[in-house]
Amino acid sequence: MALIDDLRELERRALADIAQASSLQELDAVRVAVVGKSGELTGYLRNMGNVPKEERAEVGKAVNAARQAVEEAIEGRKAALAAAELDARIQSDAVDVTLPGRVQQLGSRHLINRIIDEVSDIFLGLGYTVGAGPEVETDYYNFTALNAPADHPSRSMQDTFYLRDLSGDAAAVRGESDVLLRTQTSGAQVHAMEDQPLPIYMIAPGKVYRRDVADPSHLPQFHQIEGLAVDKGITFGDLKGTLDHLCKQIFGPDRKTRFRAHYFPFTEPSAEVDVSCGVCGGAGCRMCKGTGWLEILGCGMVDPNVLEMSGIDPEVYSGFAFGMGVERIACLKYNVPDLRMLLEGDMRFLRQF
Ligand code: DAH
């Protein structure tokens, strides 16, 4: 019977399609096409009315058998595909607990900030406050109030970045209201004396700027830490004791200090402080250029003129001041031969500290 042959052929094709379906969606498409509402096999059942009466029973049996075979095959394939998909999902979601974790790179404080923090801690321990002054200053705070009026020769010790030239004439005589990038943190002394009640014990770390070309011992921008103590009865002995303590805290208890007479406009007397060389222990080496000593800061007794300009009576009060270059101290403490290395951001250098 041709009809039965067609049915067998349809069943064979359907079973092959089912076996080949590679996803649940593909399988469902086969189901719809064969046994769905308007599927091919369903069409045979619908058309039973057209089948001659005497063949109906046989054809009906064959259609039902084919339908059952197809539906069973679909169920079987569905289970297999569902299991495979679950497997794949488990594979792709799986976490390999033996893999190493992602390593977070830890940052660390830069040497410059380390020195600032270290010196701040030392002075906080001595009862000082830690303050700051503005980086953009007027001539008054950077020079005049520090006993260096216009034309004072000490001004040429530091090449200044001026932000505004009031006259527009570079050769014009400069005045107290000129705006500049501070060349030293010493202006913070004046701000403190103007703003704070006495006595004053303070340090002020910060950036300073000079018209210098960067080389192993100069940077156009660097950091200083200013210190100021103003009280009744402050002596040079207090200054020496304080700075000797500072040096031993920073460099170690075996290091010695010496005070060499020097000149600064805002202190009288003034001194530069050297610390004994940590490389040779004072015998003389390349680091200390054979002297056994390393210069680390400037200091002195606050000049009575400076106290007076800030409204403090020098007959009643006296004080000492000091200022140090942070980059220089970092290089001396960690034996770095060139200030510029601090700023290059080379991780091979920075990781060593
Ligand atoms: N301001 C000076 C400089 O930049 C350093 C200095 C020296 C600061 C002596 C002071 C001081 O407070 O007393 O070279």
Side-chain angles (χ1 to χ4, degrees), residues 215-230:
D215 70 21
S217 54
H218 295 85
L219 294 171
Q221 184 225 64
F222 57 102
H223 296 76
Q224 286 186 335
I225 302 175
E226 195 72 20
L228 176 71
V230 182

Side-chain angles (χ1 to χ4, degrees), residues 184-202:
Q184 51 187 356
T185 45
S186 300
Q189 292 183 35
V190 181
H191 288 290
M193 288 188 285
E194 285 183 355
D195 301 343
Q196 291 178 26
L198 294 166
I200 294 168
Y201 291 89
M202 71 100 193

Side-chain angles (χ1 to χ4, degrees), residues 324-337:
M324 66 197 92
V326 176
E327 282 79 354
R328 183 168 164 75
I329 289 183
C331 287
L332 292 178
K333 176 160 179 167
Y334 296 103
N335 291 331
V336 177

Side-chain angles (χ1 to χ4, degrees), residues 158 184 186 189 210 224 226-227 264 266-267 298-300 321-323:
Q158 300 169 358
Q184 51 187 356
S186 300
Q189 292 183 35
R210 290 186 195 177
Q224 286 186 335
E226 195 72 20
F264 297 104
F266 37 87
T267 42
C299 65
F322 55 89

Side-chain angles (χ1 to χ4, degrees), residues 11-57:
E11 181 184 335
R12 195 192 57 70
R13 244 194 307 121
L15 292 179
D17 288 349
I18 289 164
Q20 265 169 34
S22 60
S23 68
L24 288 170
Q25 284 104 305
E26 263 180 63
L27 182 63
D28 203 51
V30 177
R31 183 188 63 77
V32 170
V34 181
V35 294
K37 242 190 236 158
S38 9
E40 248 186 291
L41 198 53
T42 316
Y44 280 91
L45 279 175
R46 284 238 180 83
N47 288 330
M48 281 308 262
N50 302 332
V51 177
K53 232 188 179 144
E54 57 280 11
E55 291 174 15
R56 246 179 237 167

Side-chain angles (χ1 to χ4, degrees), residues 153-207:
S154 73
R155 287 180 174 229
S156 61
M157 285 159 70
Q158 300 169 358
D159 262 329
T160 309
F161 284 114
Y162 287 91
L163 292 182
R164 190 162 50 107
D165 186 344
L166 290 179
S167 65
D169 175 0
V173 175
R174 301 197 174 275
E176 288 182 354
S177 56
D178 271 0
V179 179
L180 46 81
L181 294 180
R182 67 179 176 187
T183 59
Q184 51 187 356
T185 45
S186 300
Q189 292 183 35
V190 181
H191 288 290
M193 288 188 285
E194 285 183 355
D195 301 343
Q196 291 178 26
L198 294 166
I200 294 168
Y201 291 89
M202 71 100 193
I203 62 162
K207 292 187 178 72

